[in-house]
Amino acid sequence: VEEKRLAIQNGKFNLEAISTYRNEIYGLSIFWVMLFHMCESHYFPALENAPIYNHLMIILGMGNMGVDVFLFLSGICLLSKNPLEEMKRRNREMKKVRSFIRKRVARIMYPVCLTSMLLWIRYLVMHRISVWGFINRVFLIQYWVDGDSQIWYISLIMLLYLAYPYIYQYMFKKKDDRSLVLRAIIMIGAIVIITIGLALEYPKVYDAIDLALPRVPIFLTGCIVGKFVYERRKISAVIPLGIIVVFVAGYNLTNKWNIYQDYAERYIYWIGGLAVAFLLAILFSYTPKWFNHIWSKWGILSLEIYLTHIVIRRELATKFAKTHLGLTWWMNILVIFAGAYIWAKLTAWIVKKMNMKKVG
């Protein structure tokens, strides 16, 4: 039986551990995001008088940081699908870029068509949205047009996927690490300046896209780290452990000083996304294989689960569901978690069959 590779050995953190345990990290992160949404919907009334309630709500209240983990891992994992390597080998640059983009778009749109699209069609038939609103949703631009945040993460990640070949081309124009880090700092710095400028000078514009724009830097951070993960670099264990400490201290201080809002929150979560990814990579390198296997199952379906749980949660919040189903709080949670996983599993199976048919 193959032994598990520990993330930290001899005082060094093996960056490859992030890739090795990425499915487990995805799985626990989507579970955390779902618990955050349950917290938003006030699905834990039975715990309100429990001694641990306030501490539990702090942990669940940070569950939206799971999205930051998604973006960090996405930036890392895209490197193994890096389009420019193939471009250079085959000398057909635009064709390879189109191929890369087509695969990434298909990876998102197939699950969207089997989940959120069904809800949008019902909204259109019931005249709850206009034809134009339906078209905006189909092309995943509704969030950018009027701030509809139903699947804002999908709108953002689609944009980042489309931009990735050009982000990569700029970042990795030269092979040395110094150039990579410098170019990444320039890109991240530009995004941060634009974000803060919008928040200060055009707060209404910022409020419309505040879920997405401040999170671009963690995706770009993932793009940088992805190179070192790909190269199986090892760094001092002090670095990931230090990032975890900085996040905990920063989170507590910003709350204490009452500045934990707007872009300050988003940038604390930037550090938090890194901290959680490092922490989970370390923990999963020690946990039993059966435990990792459970979370890996969720992680493989994380995109589909993200989409399905949003649809189910939204439908359970309707007046019709509350009147005719009358589910208790724990039944709502059970339906959302079990229903999302089953629907996600079915969606992934259908997409797999469609891809096999296309190849055949």
Side-chain angles (χ1 to χ4, degrees):
V1 179
E2 184 183 354
E3 291 186 9
K4 292 180 66 176
R5 288 173 291 180
L6 299 180
I8 295 180
Q9 289 181 314
N10 301 319
K12 296 287 186 178
F13 178 85
N14 186 355
L15 287 169
E16 190 185 11
I18 300 174
S19 177
T20 301
Y21 301 108
R22 68 182 181 277
N23 285 331
E24 290 90 333
I25 298 172
Y26 269 125
L28 193 51
S29 296
I30 186 59
F31 201 83
W32 196 17
V33 169
M34 293 172 75
L35 286 173
F36 167 76
H37 288 154
M38 302 304 100
C39 184
E40 274 193 328
S41 300
H42 307 290
Y43 279 161
F44 302 101
L47 301 176
E48 288 182 359
N49 297 321
I52 64 167
Y53 179 76
N54 289 332
H55 297 291
L56 183 63
M57 288 303 105
I58 290 174
I59 296 173
L60 298 187
M62 291 192 294
N64 57 337
M65 192 162 59
V67 175
D68 297 88
V69 178
F70 292 165
L71 289 167
F72 178 58
L73 292 180
S74 294
I76 290 174
C77 295
L78 280 178
L79 190 71
S80 62
K81 304 176 181 70
N82 129 41
L84 294 192
E85 290 300 321
E86 294 183 13
M87 287 186 226
K88 291 173 183 176
R89 283 199 302 266
R90 303 189 184 189
N91 198 28
R92 291 182 292 185
E93 296 194 7
M94 291 312 297
K95 184 175 180 181
K96 297 313 296 180
V97 169
R98 288 195 295 269
S99 174
F100 173 84
I101 291 175
R102 186 166 58 248
K103 289 177 181 177
R104 302 283 74 73
V105 170
R107 174 68 186 98
I108 291 175
M109 288 309 300
Y110 283 159
V112 166
C113 289
L114 294 168
T115 54
S116 300
M117 187 81 72
L118 304 177
L119 185 65
W120 300 336
I121 292 172
R122 187 169 73 81
Y123 284 173
L124 181 63
V125 172
M126 296 176 66
H127 303 289
R128 291 179 59 181
I129 60 173
S130 65
V131 173
W132 180 243
F134 178 76
I135 293 172
N136 285 343
R137 285 168 172 80
V138 170
F139 285 96
L140 302 180
I141 61 173
Q142 188 69 12
Y143 174 70
W144 309 111
V145 171
D146 67 7
D148 185 337
S149 61
Q150 180 184 349
I151 56 170
W152 70 268
Y153 167 71
I154 305 299
S155 298
L156 173 61
I157 200 66
M158 175 67 87
L159 198 62
L160 294 173
Y161 280 175
L162 294 176
Y164 179 74
Y166 308 101
I167 292 173
Y168 183 95
Q169 194 166 25
Y170 174 74
M171 274 192 177
F172 296 89
K173 192 170 185 179
K174 295 182 179 179
K175 292 183 178 181
D176 61 291
D177 293 348
R178 182 179 297 180
S179 174
L180 164 63
V181 173
L182 179 61
R183 288 169 183 271
I185 289 173
I186 291 172
M187 290 186 71
I188 291 171
I191 294 294
V192 170
I193 291 170
I194 292 170
T195 300
I196 296 175
L198 285 175
L200 295 177
E201 299 297 328
Y202 303 97
K204 289 185 178 179
V205 176
Y206 172 79
D207 289 343
I209 56 174
D210 75 307
L211 293 173
L213 185 60
R215 283 184 161 109
V216 174
I218 195 165
F219 173 81
L220 297 176
T221 304
C223 294
I224 307 167
V225 175
K227 177 179 184 291
F228 305 133
V229 170
Y230 187 74
E231 294 173 349
R232 301 180 178 181
R233 298 272 191 99
K234 294 180 180 180
I235 58 175
S236 171
V238 173
I239 296 175
L241 295 176
I243 290 173
I244 295 170
V245 171
V246 167
F247 165 66
V248 174
Y251 177 82
N252 287 317
L253 287 175
T254 50
N255 274 285
K256 183 179 180 180
W257 296 335
N258 199 30
I259 58 173
Y260 189 67
Q261 57 184 349
D262 296 333
Y263 54 84
E265 174 188 5
R266 302 300 180 207
Y267 290 137
I268 287 294
Y269 277 13
W270 176 9
I271 302 171
L274 299 174
V276 170
F278 282 127
L279 178 61
L280 292 181
I282 294 169
L283 293 178
F284 280 123
S285 72
Y286 286 95
T287 49
K289 287 188 176 182
W290 64 264
F291 182 80
N292 289 23
H293 183 70
I294 293 171
W295 292 113
S296 180
K297 287 284 188 182
W298 278 74
I300 291 169
L301 298 172
S302 57
L303 173 62
E304 291 81 1
I305 292 173
Y306 177 85
L307 291 165
T308 54
H309 99 274
I310 287 175
V311 174
I312 296 172
R313 173 177 174 246
R314 179 163 289 205
E315 287 302 285
L316 288 179
T318 62
K319 185 177 180 180
F320 177 86
K322 291 179 179 179
T323 302
H324 293 87
L325 296 180
L327 300 178
T328 60
W329 67 273
W330 65 267
M331 291 176 68
N332 273 291
I333 294 174
L334 180 62
V335 168
I336 291 172
F337 276 86
Y341 184 82
I342 294 169
W343 189 355
K345 192 80 174 174
L346 178 62
T347 298
W349 179 80
I350 293 172
V351 171
K352 183 178 179 180
K353 291 294 182 182
M354 291 169 63
N355 288 332
M356 287 174 61
K357 187 175 181 181
K358 186 185 295 185
V359 171

